[in-house]
Amino acid sequence: MAEIKAPVFPESVADGTIVEWHVTEGQQVNRDDILAEIETDKVVLEVVAPDDGVVTKIVKQVDDTVESDDLIAEFEAGASGSTDSGSDDSADEDAEAPAVDPNQPAAPVQKKQAADGGEPVQATDKKENDHKDQSPAVRKAAKESGVDPKNVEGSGRDGRVTKSDMASPKLKADSSIKNDKGTPVAESTGERSEKRVPMTRLRKRVAERLLSATQETAMLTTFNEVNMKPLMDMRTKYKDQFEKRHGVRLGFMSLFVKAATEALKRFPAVNASLDGDDIVYHGFYDIGVAVSSDRGLVVPVLRDTDQMSMADVESKIRELGGKAQNGKLGLDEMTGGTFTISNGGVFGSLMSTPILNPPQTAILGMHAINDRPMAVDGKVEILPMMYLALSYDHRMIDGKEAVQFLVTLKDLVEDPTMLLLDL
């Protein structure tokens, strides 16, 4: 008999909550099968089977809070059990089935035409297959919100509920929705509906950190604007060659990361952090890139960006972005950044004041690119312009340094050749 324990959480994570069991007691599993998922303030951790065997007892249930190395289940290696979560009643059903008279014609089997026009398929009880019709994304959204998909108006084929339906659920007119604990989370009257759902641990943590940043730092934001035409022209000219050579698309974020890295070298205070009454100047450049996921805002970190090429940056951003969407980011991929970049422009934001990500002392906000009339050498030209915002902790960074940092970044983006020539 072996013990299945919660992972050892890092010092920054006190505990976690079991959000899902993928197995039941007595179920046969294989080595490395996912047994359970534990949600912490930052990531969702998976607990896997240590060997082939059977989960003999589940100690901690869904929504239970666990700490590092807590016992959550008991496991017997090499044993055999049921191979699925439900019981096999086929033998009982066969025993109770009435005898069939071979002289009587067989009862007709109700069938329906397949959607693709192929062979007809046997009709089944819709209620029994409701959960099978739901995609994994819908089931995950239901688990996080506490709203049962069967109470949501579906926009998919044959009224099927989709992931987007769960993002902004329109409740059926006669529904009174409760979460798994029996607490009402939504009620609907006629065409007017509202819902009440508990915040996820990640959303709570984000809320706490944002509130802390606004209350415990002397945050100030400075703005500038950048002409994106040189960068857009360069991207148009070389994007096909870049993708063919490196196997990844050339985006704007890689150049901003490299430009920010160069600017951080020139203004070390912007790459520093506060630790109590001490200022910690970092001799490395770990830049976090804010990513919006279904679970909330996460900030995976690019390590040692001064040693990365633009292709390395693009490839790593794509990899971390995919992990963020799938909830697969590790804690080591989300901690230890020295500077953060947030791109609200992908959602159409014209201008904003990004909030600091403590203990970092600065964060850069990128925004939408819009054509605007600009004065160039005494003439008016239409140029693709972007507003840049740098929020910084005024306790650590003076206004002069913040403004000069942003101007340096602007110069490097407007003339990418300066990065190559180290100017």
Side-chain angles (χ1 to χ4, degrees), residues 22-53:
H22 292 274
V23 297
T24 58
E25 290 184 355
Q27 182 174 339
Q28 177 79 33
V29 296
N30 297 321
R31 183 184 181 90
D32 295 331
D33 280 355
I34 298 175
L35 304 180
E37 293 182 0
I38 299 177
E39 183 180 39
T40 69
D41 295 338
K42 297 181 178 180
V43 295
V44 175
L45 302 175
E46 295 176 343
V47 180
V48 300
D51 207 337
D52 296 348

mmCIF file of all heavy atoms in Angstrom, residues 22-53:
data_model
loop_
_atom_site.group_PDB
_atom_site.id
_atom_site.type_symbol
_atom_site.label_atom_id
_atom_site.label_comp_id
_atom_site.label_asym_id
_atom_site.label_seq_id
_atom_site.Cartn_x
_atom_site.Cartn_y
_atom_site.Cartn_z
ATOM 1 N N HIS A 22 -9.962 12.654 -11.182
ATOM 2 C CA HIS A 22 -10.175 11.996 -12.469
ATOM 3 C C HIS A 22 -10.452 10.502 -12.299
ATOM 4 O O HIS A 22 -10.676 9.809 -13.286
ATOM 5 C CB HIS A 22 -8.953 12.188 -13.373
ATOM 6 C CG HIS A 22 -8.738 13.604 -13.816
ATOM 7 N ND1 HIS A 22 -9.340 14.147 -14.920
ATOM 8 C CD2 HIS A 22 -7.992 14.611 -13.272
ATOM 9 C CE1 HIS A 22 -8.959 15.401 -15.067
ATOM 10 N NE2 HIS A 22 -8.151 15.709 -14.070
ATOM 11 N N VAL A 23 -10.396 10.019 -11.057
ATOM 12 C CA VAL A 23 -10.622 8.601 -10.787
ATOM 13 C C VAL A 23 -11.569 8.460 -9.602
ATOM 14 O O VAL A 23 -11.854 9.419 -8.895
ATOM 15 C CB VAL A 23 -9.285 7.881 -10.469
ATOM 16 C CG1 VAL A 23 -8.354 7.935 -11.658
ATOM 17 C CG2 VAL A 23 -8.618 8.502 -9.245
ATOM 18 N N THR A 24 -12.036 7.238 -9.403
ATOM 19 C CA THR A 24 -12.859 6.921 -8.243
ATOM 20 C C THR A 24 -12.191 5.804 -7.444
ATOM 21 O O THR A 24 -11.257 5.157 -7.936
ATOM 22 C CB THR A 24 -14.268 6.457 -8.673
ATOM 23 O OG1 THR A 24 -14.142 5.320 -9.529
ATOM 24 C CG2 THR A 24 -14.994 7.564 -9.413
ATOM 25 N N GLU A 25 -12.658 5.594 -6.236
ATOM 26 C CA GLU A 25 -12.100 4.522 -5.414
ATOM 27 C C GLU A 25 -12.296 3.170 -6.091
ATOM 28 O O GLU A 25 -13.369 2.878 -6.623
ATOM 29 C CB GLU A 25 -12.757 4.525 -4.039
ATOM 30 C CG GLU A 25 -12.353 5.713 -3.183
ATOM 31 C CD GLU A 25 -12.942 5.628 -1.785
ATOM 32 O OE1 GLU A 25 -13.730 4.687 -1.533
ATOM 33 O OE2 GLU A 25 -12.639 6.499 -0.946
ATOM 34 N N GLY A 26 -11.245 2.365 -6.098
ATOM 35 C CA GLY A 26 -11.308 1.048 -6.710
ATOM 36 C C GLY A 26 -11.006 1.022 -8.187
ATOM 37 O O GLY A 26 -11.054 -0.033 -8.820
ATOM 38 N N GLN A 27 -10.686 2.196 -8.758
ATOM 39 C CA GLN A 27 -10.443 2.241 -10.203
ATOM 40 C C GLN A 27 -9.006 1.868 -10.536
ATOM 41 O O GLN A 27 -8.060 2.295 -9.876
ATOM 42 C CB GLN A 27 -10.746 3.645 -10.745
ATOM 43 C CG GLN A 27 -10.568 3.761 -12.253
ATOM 44 C CD GLN A 27 -11.002 5.113 -12.787
ATOM 45 O OE1 GLN A 27 -11.772 5.816 -12.139
ATOM 46 N NE2 GLN A 27 -10.514 5.472 -13.952
ATOM 47 N N GLN A 28 -8.848 1.088 -11.584
ATOM 48 C CA GLN A 28 -7.539 0.685 -12.090
ATOM 49 C C GLN A 28 -6.921 1.839 -12.872
ATOM 50 O O GLN A 28 -7.585 2.467 -13.704
ATOM 51 C CB GLN A 28 -7.673 -0.541 -12.995
ATOM 52 C CG GLN A 28 -6.370 -1.006 -13.638
ATOM 53 C CD GLN A 28 -5.501 -1.807 -12.694
ATOM 54 O OE1 GLN A 28 -6.018 -2.526 -11.848
ATOM 55 N NE2 GLN A 28 -4.190 -1.658 -12.814
ATOM 56 N N VAL A 29 -5.656 2.135 -12.610
ATOM 57 C CA VAL A 29 -4.962 3.203 -13.322
ATOM 58 C C VAL A 29 -3.593 2.710 -13.759
ATOM 59 O O VAL A 29 -3.066 1.719 -13.225
ATOM 60 C CB VAL A 29 -4.802 4.464 -12.439
ATOM 61 C CG1 VAL A 29 -6.153 5.057 -12.081
ATOM 62 C CG2 VAL A 29 -4.010 4.154 -11.178
ATOM 63 N N ASN A 30 -3.031 3.421 -14.720
ATOM 64 C CA ASN A 30 -1.688 3.124 -15.204
ATOM 65 C C ASN A 30 -0.703 4.154 -14.685
ATOM 66 O O ASN A 30 -1.094 5.254 -14.276
ATOM 67 C CB ASN A 30 -1.658 3.110 -16.735
ATOM 68 C CG ASN A 30 -2.536 2.018 -17.313
ATOM 69 O OD1 ASN A 30 -2.603 0.905 -16.789
ATOM 70 N ND2 ASN A 30 -3.227 2.339 -18.400
ATOM 71 N N ARG A 31 0.543 3.797 -14.711
ATOM 72 C CA ARG A 31 1.602 4.701 -14.270
ATOM 73 C C ARG A 31 1.518 6.037 -15.019
ATOM 74 O O ARG A 31 1.337 6.063 -16.239
ATOM 75 C CB ARG A 31 2.969 4.069 -14.500
ATOM 76 C CG ARG A 31 4.151 4.907 -14.010
ATOM 77 C CD ARG A 31 5.457 4.236 -14.371
ATOM 78 N NE ARG A 31 6.601 4.994 -13.891
ATOM 79 C CZ ARG A 31 7.176 4.825 -12.700
ATOM 80 N NH1 ARG A 31 6.685 3.902 -11.891
ATOM 81 N NH2 ARG A 31 8.199 5.555 -12.326
ATOM 82 N N ASP A 32 1.618 7.150 -14.287
ATOM 83 C CA ASP A 32 1.606 8.527 -14.810
ATOM 84 C C ASP A 32 0.225 8.984 -15.260
ATOM 85 O O ASP A 32 0.102 10.079 -15.824
ATOM 86 C CB ASP A 32 2.609 8.714 -15.956
ATOM 87 C CG ASP A 32 4.057 8.546 -15.499
ATOM 88 O OD1 ASP A 32 4.318 8.832 -14.318
ATOM 89 O OD2 ASP A 32 4.899 8.128 -16.312
ATOM 90 N N ASP A 33 -0.829 8.171 -15.028
ATOM 91 C CA ASP A 33 -2.187 8.666 -15.274
ATOM 92 C C ASP A 33 -2.477 9.804 -14.301
ATOM 93 O O ASP A 33 -2.048 9.777 -13.137
ATOM 94 C CB ASP A 33 -3.226 7.556 -15.058
ATOM 95 C CG ASP A 33 -3.326 6.624 -16.255
ATOM 96 O OD1 ASP A 33 -2.669 6.903 -17.273
ATOM 97 O OD2 ASP A 33 -4.054 5.612 -16.159
ATOM 98 N N ILE A 34 -3.223 10.812 -14.777
ATOM 99 C CA ILE A 34 -3.582 11.934 -13.911
ATOM 100 C C ILE A 34 -4.678 11.484 -12.942
ATOM 101 O O ILE A 34 -5.735 11.018 -13.362
ATOM 102 C CB ILE A 34 -4.058 13.138 -14.734
ATOM 103 C CG1 ILE A 34 -2.940 13.636 -15.652
ATOM 104 C CG2 ILE A 34 -4.513 14.278 -13.813
ATOM 105 C CD1 ILE A 34 -3.354 14.745 -16.592
ATOM 106 N N LEU A 35 -4.414 11.604 -11.644
ATOM 107 C CA LEU A 35 -5.387 11.220 -10.631
ATOM 108 C C LEU A 35 -6.250 12.398 -10.188
ATOM 109 O O LEU A 35 -7.463 12.275 -10.051
ATOM 110 C CB LEU A 35 -4.669 10.629 -9.403
ATOM 111 C CG LEU A 35 -3.751 9.432 -9.648
ATOM 112 C CD1 LEU A 35 -3.139 8.977 -8.332
ATOM 113 C CD2 LEU A 35 -4.507 8.303 -10.332
ATOM 114 N N ALA A 36 -5.611 13.538 -9.946
ATOM 115 C CA ALA A 36 -6.342 14.693 -9.421
ATOM 116 C C ALA A 36 -5.664 15.974 -9.863
ATOM 117 O O ALA A 36 -4.502 15.973 -10.295
ATOM 118 C CB ALA A 36 -6.410 14.633 -7.900
ATOM 119 N N GLU A 37 -6.403 17.100 -9.749
ATOM 120 C CA GLU A 37 -5.859 18.429 -10.038
ATOM 121 C C GLU A 37 -6.011 19.292 -8.796
ATOM 122 O O GLU A 37 -7.081 19.320 -8.180
ATOM 123 C CB GLU A 37 -6.583 19.074 -11.223
ATOM 124 C CG GLU A 37 -6.337 18.363 -12.542
ATOM 125 C CD GLU A 37 -7.025 19.057 -13.707
ATOM 126 O OE1 GLU A 37 -7.690 20.076 -13.462
ATOM 127 O OE2 GLU A 37 -6.898 18.570 -14.843
ATOM 128 N N ILE A 38 -4.936 19.974 -8.431
ATOM 129 C CA ILE A 38 -4.927 20.853 -7.262
ATOM 130 C C ILE A 38 -4.650 22.275 -7.729
ATOM 131 O O ILE A 38 -3.621 22.544 -8.354
ATOM 132 C CB ILE A 38 -3.866 20.411 -6.236
ATOM 133 C CG1 ILE A 38 -4.168 18.989 -5.747
ATOM 134 C CG2 ILE A 38 -3.817 21.376 -5.063
ATOM 135 C CD1 ILE A 38 -3.129 18.448 -4.789
ATOM 136 N N GLU A 39 -5.571 23.173 -7.438
ATOM 137 C CA GLU A 39 -5.416 24.567 -7.847
ATOM 138 C C GLU A 39 -4.789 25.368 -6.725
ATOM 139 O O GLU A 39 -5.255 25.334 -5.583
ATOM 140 C CB GLU A 39 -6.771 25.174 -8.218
ATOM 141 C CG GLU A 39 -6.657 26.607 -8.733
ATOM 142 C CD GLU A 39 -8.007 27.200 -9.109
ATOM 143 O OE1 GLU A 39 -8.988 26.941 -8.391
ATOM 144 O OE2 GLU A 39 -8.073 27.929 -10.112
ATOM 145 N N THR A 40 -3.721 26.093 -7.054
ATOM 146 C CA THR A 40 -3.084 26.994 -6.104
ATOM 147 C C THR A 40 -3.374 28.429 -6.531
ATOM 148 O O THR A 40 -4.128 28.664 -7.465
ATOM 149 C CB THR A 40 -1.565 26.760 -6.062
ATOM 150 O OG1 THR A 40 -0.975 27.202 -7.307
ATOM 151 C CG2 THR A 40 -1.239 25.289 -5.863
ATOM 152 N N ASP A 41 -2.739 29.366 -5.828
ATOM 153 C CA ASP A 41 -2.951 30.775 -6.169
ATOM 154 C C ASP A 41 -2.411 31.124 -7.544
ATOM 155 O O ASP A 41 -2.783 32.151 -8.112
ATOM 156 C CB ASP A 41 -2.260 31.685 -5.140
ATOM 157 C CG ASP A 41 -2.882 31.556 -3.758
ATOM 158 O OD1 ASP A 41 -4.047 31.126 -3.684
ATOM 159 O OD2 ASP A 41 -2.202 31.872 -2.775
ATOM 160 N N LYS A 42 -1.537 30.289 -8.092
ATOM 161 C CA LYS A 42 -0.867 30.631 -9.340
ATOM 162 C C LYS A 42 -1.119 29.640 -10.464
ATOM 163 O O LYS A 42 -1.313 30.039 -11.607
ATOM 164 C CB LYS A 42 0.644 30.769 -9.103
ATOM 165 C CG LYS A 42 1.003 31.898 -8.135
ATOM 166 C CD LYS A 42 2.500 32.009 -7.941
ATOM 167 C CE LYS A 42 2.850 33.161 -7.018
ATOM 168 N NZ LYS A 42 4.318 33.286 -6.806
ATOM 169 N N VAL A 43 -1.079 28.342 -10.168
ATOM 170 C CA VAL A 43 -1.190 27.341 -11.222
ATOM 171 C C VAL A 43 -2.050 26.173 -10.748
ATOM 172 O O VAL A 43 -2.365 26.052 -9.564
ATOM 173 C CB VAL A 43 0.200 26.799 -11.649
ATOM 174 C CG1 VAL A 43 1.036 27.873 -12.292
ATOM 175 C CG2 VAL A 43 0.917 26.191 -10.456
ATOM 176 N N VAL A 44 -2.402 25.318 -11.693
ATOM 177 C CA VAL A 44 -3.078 24.063 -11.382
ATOM 178 C C VAL A 44 -2.046 22.945 -11.488
ATOM 179 O O VAL A 44 -1.412 22.769 -12.523
ATOM 180 C CB VAL A 44 -4.261 23.800 -12.343
ATOM 181 C CG1 VAL A 44 -4.858 22.426 -12.075
ATOM 182 C CG2 VAL A 44 -5.325 24.873 -12.178
ATOM 183 N N LEU A 45 -1.871 22.200 -10.403
ATOM 184 C CA LEU A 45 -0.893 21.122 -10.361
ATOM 185 C C LEU A 45 -1.592 19.781 -10.543
ATOM 186 O O LEU A 45 -2.694 19.576 -10.023
ATOM 187 C CB LEU A 45 -0.151 21.138 -9.027
ATOM 188 C CG LEU A 45 0.580 22.440 -8.684
ATOM 189 C CD1 LEU A 45 1.168 22.356 -7.288
ATOM 190 C CD2 LEU A 45 1.680 22.722 -9.697
ATOM 191 N N GLU A 46 -0.959 18.882 -11.267
ATOM 192 C CA GLU A 46 -1.520 17.558 -11.504
ATOM 193 C C GLU A 46 -0.845 16.535 -10.594
ATOM 194 O O GLU A 46 0.371 16.553 -10.419
ATOM 195 C CB GLU A 46 -1.331 17.152 -12.969
ATOM 196 C CG GLU A 46 -2.095 18.036 -13.948
ATOM 197 C CD GLU A 46 -1.816 17.669 -15.396
ATOM 198 O OE1 GLU A 46 -0.807 16.971 -15.633
ATOM 199 O OE2 GLU A 46 -2.597 18.066 -16.274
ATOM 200 N N VAL A 47 -1.639 15.653 -10.022
ATOM 201 C CA VAL A 47 -1.134 14.543 -9.222
ATOM 202 C C VAL A 47 -1.269 13.279 -10.061
ATOM 203 O O VAL A 47 -2.369 12.971 -10.542
ATOM 204 C CB VAL A 47 -1.926 14.396 -7.907
ATOM 205 C CG1 VAL A 47 -1.375 13.229 -7.091
ATOM 206 C CG2 VAL A 47 -1.865 15.683 -7.101
ATOM 207 N N VAL A 48 -0.170 12.565 -10.270
ATOM 208 C CA VAL A 48 -0.180 11.404 -11.168
ATOM 209 C C VAL A 48 0.057 10.120 -10.390
ATOM 210 O O VAL A 48 0.590 10.127 -9.274
ATOM 211 C CB VAL A 48 0.881 11.558 -12.281
ATOM 212 C CG1 VAL A 48 0.619 12.791 -13.100
ATOM 213 C CG2 VAL A 48 2.280 11.598 -11.683
ATOM 214 N N ALA A 49 -0.345 9.012 -11.005
ATOM 215 C CA ALA A 49 -0.168 7.696 -10.393
ATOM 216 C C ALA A 49 1.314 7.321 -10.389
ATOM 217 O O ALA A 49 1.987 7.447 -11.412
ATOM 218 C CB ALA A 49 -0.975 6.651 -11.146
ATOM 219 N N PRO A 50 1.822 6.837 -9.244
ATOM 220 C CA PRO A 50 3.252 6.472 -9.183
ATOM 221 C C PRO A 50 3.571 5.165 -9.888
ATOM 222 O O PRO A 50 4.716 4.888 -10.207
ATOM 223 C CB PRO A 50 3.507 6.355 -7.677
ATOM 224 C CG PRO A 50 2.179 5.975 -7.098
ATOM 225 C CD PRO A 50 1.144 6.666 -7.949
ATOM 226 N N ASP A 51 2.528 4.345 -10.121
ATOM 227 C CA ASP A 51 2.754 3.040 -10.745
ATOM 228 C C ASP A 51 1.415 2.495 -11.229
ATOM 229 O O ASP A 51 0.367 3.107 -11.005
ATOM 230 C CB ASP A 51 3.376 2.076 -9.730
ATOM 231 C CG ASP A 51 4.213 0.990 -10.402
ATOM 232 O OD1 ASP A 51 3.960 0.735 -11.600
ATOM 233 O OD2 ASP A 51 5.096 0.423 -9.749
ATOM 234 N N ASP A 52 1.434 1.373 -11.908
ATOM 235 C CA ASP A 52 0.192 0.690 -12.258
ATOM 236 C C ASP A 52 -0.436 0.145 -10.977
ATOM 237 O O ASP A 52 0.263 -0.417 -10.125
ATOM 238 C CB ASP A 52 0.463 -0.475 -13.215
ATOM 239 C CG ASP A 52 1.015 -0.012 -14.545
ATOM 240 O OD1 ASP A 52 0.965 1.201 -14.806
ATOM 241 O OD2 ASP A 52 1.502 -0.861 -15.317
ATOM 242 N N GLY A 53 -1.736 0.303 -10.831
ATOM 243 C CA GLY A 53 -2.382 -0.198 -9.627
ATOM 244 C C GLY A 53 -3.788 0.325 -9.467
ATOM 245 O O GLY A 53 -4.441 0.690 -10.450
#
